[in-house]
Amino acid sequence: MDRRDFVKSSATGIAGLTILPSGILFGKNADKVRLGYIGVGLRGRNHIGEGLLRDDVEIVAICDIQESSLKYCRAQFVKAGKKLPAEYTGGLDAYKKLLERKDIDGVIIATPWQFHKDQAIDAMRAGKYVGCEVIAGITEKDHWDILKAHEETKMPYMTLENVCYRRDVMAVLNMVRQNLFGEIVHLEGGYQHDLRGILFNDGKSFYGKGGEFGPNTMGESQWRTQWNVDRDGDIYPTHGVGPVMNYVDINRGNRFTNLVSFSSKSRGLNTYIDKVSPGNKNAKINFKNGDVTTTMINCANGETVMLSHDTHLPRPYSLGFRVQGTEGLWMDVNNAIYIDGKSEKDDLWDRADTWLEKYDHPLWKKNEHLAEGAGHGGMDWFVFNAFVESVKQKKQTPIDVYDSLTMSVITPLSEKSLKEGNAPQQFPDFTRGKWKNRKNTFALDDSGF
């Protein structure tokens, strides 16, 4: 079966997920999820592509303030032979008209980061499920405001953190749960990705040409680059920390207690601009964000976590995962696993492939054929599917509001630590103590989540 032959899976849920009150879905047919999209730039159109492949999803409406994005999006629908959605445009508040529609069950938010908080809160208050790209908010207060809206409305909020569904990440989660690594002691992860060709272009190409950024350029350079001019901190923590949270049951029997961040000097972006666009004035900009930001986090149960944000220097892509316990460890950078007394040779790495294949997660075994061709090595299908199935089954999302806010609040905490001379920051407990009794149900079986 290929992805276009997707057959709606049975509604067998994960143990411990809350059934939401009836009436949340406005659509008459609960087997079909009706979605609205706020932001149809490059990332938004990736999610559009996932929705167009499913018979259980109807894309009712889209919103974007740029005609170029809407034009690309229309072409996707035409190519797929699907009915064009209603469009909302014209200003920053255009999305509010979309939210007034009673035929939308959930929204996908894929706008620039600074708009996420208000759009998510408005969507929850309009009675919609929220699937939001990272990050949730700019300040710590933003995160508490999102939680307040969730508590008032009871509408689920899910950060679309796809790396939690990466195949090797989930195989290692399977190994952790089967105690292959023993008691977990230390973990690492990060966002280690050369973004220089994304942060700058010539206004004619999305990637890899020119040294310009701002409103006259293409794609993310219109807005994302400015963050590196104005802010110093880990501005994209969720890829590294999302999987780590599942490994040590954060918000579900464990929690982050405090963090401290360190930031290197900033040289990479200036060097890049000078190389690709000699004489460009942007090479003289003082980019506040250090080339490498390192954040250390303590956990209530005694584990330590190290996160790295490294996007300004030449480097191959890697998220730098490390899961280390009393019986062994996994490191993704060298694709290696060592299990004490079980590895092929004492004190020598095994290639991770054999272990990862043996402990391949049931979700991947079951749905590999559906994820084939999806973005980011298939994991985009899994995160989108998790959101859609949650809406369809009227359940809390597997990455819930507490997880989402915990991942995202690392950004303002990191910034504050750096501003205060690497001072430790207390980590907010968005669960208000409920973490002590909550159970980790993420990807606990193969039910579709």
Side-chain angles (χ1 to χ4, degrees), residues 313-348:
L313 301 168
R315 60 162 301 125
Y317 178 86
S318 168
L319 299 186
F321 286 118
R322 173 173 166 180
V323 177
Q324 189 164 13
T326 56
E327 298 297 324
L329 73 163
W330 165 60
M331 295 183 69
D332 80 330
V333 174
N334 59 340
N335 187 34
I337 286 176
Y338 180 76
I339 306 295
D340 194 24
K342 296 181 180 179
S343 284
E344 186 174 343
K345 294 183 179 180
D346 186 46
D347 208 27
L348 290 176

Side-chain angles (χ1 to χ4, degrees), residues 162-177 243 246-247 330 356 359-364 379 382 442-445 449:
N162 54 358
V163 177
C164 291
Y165 291 94
R166 202 172 85 174
R167 191 163 198 165
D168 59 343
V169 163
M170 293 192 74
V172 171
L173 177 61
N174 202 15
M175 294 177 70
V176 168
R177 285 174 167 167
N246 288 324
Y247 295 143
W330 165 60
L356 298 177
Y359 290 95
D360 196 18
H361 195 280
L363 264 179
W364 268 95
M379 58 194 188
F382 283 94
F442 178 82
L444 199 58
D445 60 17
F449 288 88

Side-chain angles (χ1 to χ4, degrees), residues 132-408:
C132 186
E133 276 296 329
V134 296
I135 54 179
I138 309 303
T139 66
E140 183 177 343
K141 181 180 181 300
D142 287 346
H143 293 73
W144 284 108
D145 289 345
I146 291 170
L147 180 61
K148 181 180 178 182
H150 165 76
E151 291 173 339
E152 290 173 352
T153 65
K154 309 304 181 187
M155 294 308 304
Y157 175 106
M158 176 178 175
T159 290
L160 301 173
E161 179 40 68
N162 54 358
V163 177
C164 291
Y165 291 94
R166 202 172 85 174
R167 191 163 198 165
D168 59 343
V169 163
M170 293 192 74
V172 171
L173 177 61
N174 202 15
M175 294 177 70
V176 168
R177 285 174 167 167
Q178 296 189 43
N179 205 37
L180 267 293
F181 302 107
E183 183 177 353
I184 302 302
V185 174
H186 176 74
L187 305 103
E188 297 180 11
Y191 190 47
Q192 301 176 150
H193 185 188
D194 182 356
L195 294 183
R196 297 173 301 166
I198 293 174
L199 296 175
F200 303 95
N201 59 61
D202 59 3
K204 301 176 183 178
S205 306
F206 282 107
Y207 302 117
K209 295 183 179 179
E212 301 298 328
F213 68 97
N216 295 322
T217 58
M218 302 279 284
E220 293 179 50
S221 64
Q222 295 179 24
W223 58 270
R224 187 171 182 171
T225 313
Q226 191 65 41
W227 277 64
N228 295 282
V229 178
D230 298 334
R231 323 284 290 252
D232 189 16
D234 188 335
I235 60 174
Y236 204 86
T238 70
H239 277 2
V241 79
V244 162
M245 289 170 58
N246 288 324
Y247 295 143
V248 288
D249 302 326
I250 296 301
N251 293 330
R252 293 168 171 83
N254 198 2
R255 66 175 292 256
F256 294 144
T257 57
N258 65 332
L259 66 70
V260 61
S261 290
F262 299 86
S263 186
S264 76
K265 59 187 176 183
S266 177
R267 296 292 185 270
L269 299 183
N270 304 90
T271 301
Y272 174 78
I273 296 168
D274 201 39
K275 184 182 296 183
V276 300
S277 183
N280 192 314
K281 65 183 185 305
N282 290 336
K284 304 296 184 183
I285 291 175
N286 176 27
F287 293 95
K288 290 184 180 179
N289 205 19
D291 290 338
V292 179
T293 300
T294 304
T295 298
M296 290 294 303
I297 306 176
N298 280 315
C299 301
N301 292 346
E303 304 90 348
T304 53
V305 175
M306 186 176 80
L307 301 177
S308 176
H309 182 268
D310 173 0
T311 64
H312 301 169
L313 301 168
R315 60 162 301 125
Y317 178 86
S318 168
L319 299 186
F321 286 118
R322 173 173 166 180
V323 177
Q324 189 164 13
T326 56
E327 298 297 324
L329 73 163
W330 165 60
M331 295 183 69
D332 80 330
V333 174
N334 59 340
N335 187 34
I337 286 176
Y338 180 76
I339 306 295
D340 194 24
K342 296 181 180 179
S343 284
E344 186 174 343
K345 294 183 179 180
D346 186 46
D347 208 27
L348 290 176
W349 292 105
D350 290 340
R351 282 192 59 79
D353 301 349
T354 302
W355 288 95
L356 298 177
E357 183 177 348
K358 180 178 180 180
Y359 290 95
D360 196 18
H361 195 280
L363 264 179
W364 268 95
K365 289 181 180 180
K366 180 180 179 180
N367 297 302
E368 178 180 11
H369 60 293
L370 297 173
E372 185 177 355
H376 296 94
M379 58 194 188
D380 281 0
W381 180 87
F382 283 94
V383 72
F384 187 81
N385 180 69
F387 181 72
V388 168
E389 287 294 328
S390 298
V391 179
K392 189 192 303 183
Q393 299 179 35
K394 299 183 182 181
K395 291 184 177 179
Q396 289 290 349
T397 51
I399 299 172
D400 66 14
V401 68
Y402 303 119
D403 304 322
S404 301
L405 299 179
T406 298
M407 293 184 211
S408 175

